[in-house]
Each structure stands twice: as structure tokens, then as C-alpha cells.
Amino acid sequence: MAWAIDRRLTQAGPAVTAVAVNAAVFVLLRIAAAVAGDGVLRWVEMPSGIGLLLSRPWTVLTYMVSQYDFFHLAVNMIWLWCFGRFLADIMPPRRWWKLYIAGGLGGAAVFATACDLLPSLSGTTHWLIGSSASVIAIVAATAILMPRLEVQLFMIGPLQLRWVAWITIALDLTGLFGVHPGAHFAHAGGLIAGGAYALYLRRKPVHHPDGTDDRTRLDVLLDKVRRSGLGSLSMDERRELMRLSERLRP
């Protein structure tokens, strides 16, 4: 089963919403900062110190949809759109958002732990802002759940999305060994959360409602796609199609 043939049919709903939310928060932050100064960022950034964090617990959520630097926003939204829209094909919006939030929470947990335990980071309050941990969770989950999805890359040609994903993640995580590794620990947390979530979904048992075996069930689903398009499949059928195509691929 070549997922590439269906990439034009992506729903992309939650990915579009996530990009819109991040863009709207970016604009609001820039306006607020122009009026009240950059200090407003402290109300959406997540602090590393537990005492300060307990005084503003909402920041574990607000940080993951906030960017103040336009380049930071642009890079994150490009990757979120590129990977998130494919994942929306096989994942209900509610589960998609659970993955996004899980990635952000995983990033927050690893960031806070690293800042508390590592001598190079402890003793100073660090601030976390940006959707990178959530985006990396989406990227990792896409690579695990749809490893053979092919995309056309400019001047390169068709390439399986998993290679784009893992190369991108590997390059990002080299920042753990840089001068300012704090934010990259959050990225690592997003990777762990996204990977764990995707592996959990892959291992969930597939139940065939018509009692057929795997090969027959795959043929039934593929025939339905050929006749009526990917949009004719329910979310459960799309996940089933993805699992069966990976399991039975030669």
C-alpha cells in the first residue's frame, strides 16, 4: 500500500487549527509586547523553577502555543503543517490534539528536570517558549505510524517521510551538546512522548468487523478506497488500513 497516492486527500483539520492558534497567539503577543513591553512574555513562558511554576501553572500549556520570534514560528509551523496534515488522515482530531498536548507536556517535564539536575543549568531560572516539543511529537508519531509515506521534495524527488523526520529530529537534538541546551531537552521530551504515544497506537489490536483475515480485510479496504476515495473510510478504517498495510507489506 503506497500512502503517497492518497496524500492529496488529506483532511488536515487539526493541523490547520493548530497553525492558526499558534499564529494568532504570536500576533497577540507582539501587540501586547508593543503596548506593555516584553515582560508580558513571562505570563505565557514556562519557568524552570518549581516554586515559580506553581505560581503560574497555566504556562505548562500556554508555552506550547506561543512564539515571539517570527523565524521560530515559521519553522515550527512549516513542520507542523507538513507532518500534522498526514497524521490527520488516520487520527481523529481529539486524538491528534492529545498527541500535541502530550508532546508539550513531555517537553515541559524533561526541560524542568534537566534544569533542576544538570549543574550547567541549575541555579538559574530558565524560560521555555515555543511549540517545538509538540511539533517534534507530531513528527515522530508520523514517522512511526506512517513510515513508508512518500513525499516529493524539491530537487530531490520522492522520499519516504520517515527519513525526513528522523534526519530532522537528529539534527535538532545535536543542540543538546551546544552552548544553550535547555530548549533542546524539551524537544527530547516531545520526541519521547510522541514516540510512546505512536507505539501505543500501533500495538492496539485490530478488530475486523466482518470477521475476515488480515489479507482479505486489507483488500476490502483498498477496494473501497479505489472506488470512493480515502475520504470514504471512517477514522477506524483508516487506522486499520495503515496497520494492515504495514504488517502485510513484503
Side-chain angles (χ1 to χ4, degrees), residues 11-90:
Q11 291 193 26
V16 172
T17 303
V19 170
V21 168
N22 276 271
V25 172
F26 170 78
V27 172
L28 291 174
L29 282 177
R30 296 301 291 258
I31 294 173
V35 174
D38 289 347
V40 298
L41 293 178
R42 291 292 183 252
W43 294 101
V44 295
E45 294 176 308
M46 185 193 123
S48 59
I50 186 63
L52 192 54
L53 179 59
L54 289 175
S55 70
R56 51 189 75 190
W58 62 85
T59 58
V60 298
L61 295 176
T62 57
Y63 98 88
M64 67 179 76
V65 292
S66 305
Q67 275 96 181
Y68 187 67
D69 177 80
F70 178 77
F71 179 76
H72 191 196
L73 172 73
V75 171
N76 278 337
M77 294 307 99
I78 288 172
W79 286 110
L80 181 60
W81 164 252
C82 288
F83 288 88
R85 62 195 178 109
F86 294 121
L87 204 58
D89 272 343
I90 61 169

Side-chain angles (χ1 to χ4, degrees), residues 13-22 64-65 80 87 91-104 134 138 197:
V16 172
T17 303
V19 170
V21 168
N22 276 271
M64 67 179 76
V65 292
L80 181 60
L87 204 58
M91 188 176 287
R94 184 175 63 177
R95 185 164 287 173
W96 193 100
W97 278 106
K98 283 182 179 179
L99 171 62
Y100 184 97
I101 294 171
S134 296
I138 296 288
Y197 194 90

Side-chain angles (χ1 to χ4, degrees), residues 95-128:
R95 185 164 287 173
W96 193 100
W97 278 106
K98 283 182 179 179
L99 171 62
Y100 184 97
I101 294 171
L105 294 178
V110 174
F111 167 77
T113 301
C115 290
D116 183 57
L117 297 181
L118 295 180
S120 61
L121 297 175
S122 62
T124 303
T125 299
H126 300 271
W127 299 85
L128 182 63

Side-chain angles (χ1 to χ4, degrees), residues 86-240:
F86 294 121
L87 204 58
D89 272 343
I90 61 169
M91 188 176 287
R94 184 175 63 177
R95 185 164 287 173
W96 193 100
W97 278 106
K98 283 182 179 179
L99 171 62
Y100 184 97
I101 294 171
L105 294 178
V110 174
F111 167 77
T113 301
C115 290
D116 183 57
L117 297 181
L118 295 180
S120 61
L121 297 175
S122 62
T124 303
T125 299
H126 300 271
W127 299 85
L128 182 63
I129 187 172
S131 56
S132 298
S134 296
V135 171
I136 285 182
I138 296 288
V139 172
T142 307
I144 291 171
L145 294 174
M146 307 175 75
R148 294 183 177 85
L149 172 68
E150 289 187 351
V151 292
Q152 291 286 338
L153 296 182
F154 180 66
M155 297 184 66
I156 296 178
L159 187 67
Q160 290 183 350
L161 204 60
R162 58 177 169 173
W163 300 121
V164 182
W166 295 129
I167 291 171
T168 301
I169 290 172
L171 291 174
D172 180 86
L173 293 183
T174 59
L176 291 171
F177 308 99
V179 179
H180 303 291
H184 293 278
F185 279 103
H187 302 177
L191 171 63
I192 294 169
Y197 194 90
L199 290 174
Y200 164 74
L201 292 179
R202 285 201 67 168
R203 291 174 182 174
K204 290 185 69 175
V206 176
H207 302 287
H208 308 318
D210 55 6
T212 58
D213 60 39
D214 284 352
R215 175 60 65 181
T216 303
R217 180 60 179 166
L218 178 61
D219 290 339
V220 168
L221 293 173
L222 291 176
D223 285 340
K224 188 174 181 179
V225 170
R226 281 190 285 268
R227 289 194 310 268
S228 307
L230 184 63
S232 65
L233 299 183
S234 67
M235 284 298 179
D236 286 340
E237 288 175 328
R238 292 185 191 194
R239 290 193 295 272
E240 186 181 6

